[in-house]
Amino acid sequence: MFEFDQYLGFLAFLAIFTLGFWLMLFLLTFVVPYWIGGALLERMKEMREEKKAKRELN
């Protein structure tokens, strides 16, 4: 069915595919939401500071 080099190539493909799958799963479930949440919090802080600066000028 498979020769040895084909078998090794198939195993390498499976390993790379599996690593890529878990990396994408990790990025989509933890990294991206953390990044978006941090950006939103930072933007909210900037908006609050802008409002505070406007109030202090008036």
Side-chain angles (χ1 to χ4, degrees), residues 2 4-5 10-11 16-17 21 23 26 29-30 32-33 38 40 45 51 54 56-58:
F2 279 132
F4 188 68
D5 58 342
F10 180 68
L11 286 180
I16 292 168
F17 180 78
F21 171 77
L23 177 64
F26 171 72
T29 56
F30 295 107
V32 172
L40 289 174
K45 284 181 188 177
K51 286 181 182 178
K54 283 182 182 179
E56 288 176 358
L57 287 175
N58 291 335

Side-chain angles (χ1 to χ4, degrees), residues 10-37:
F10 180 68
L11 286 180
F13 168 76
L14 281 181
I16 292 168
F17 180 78
T18 304
L19 286 171
F21 171 77
W22 288 113
L23 177 64
M24 287 302 297
L25 188 68
F26 171 72
L27 288 174
L28 290 175
T29 56
F30 295 107
V31 175
V32 172
Y34 181 77
W35 181 26
I36 292 172

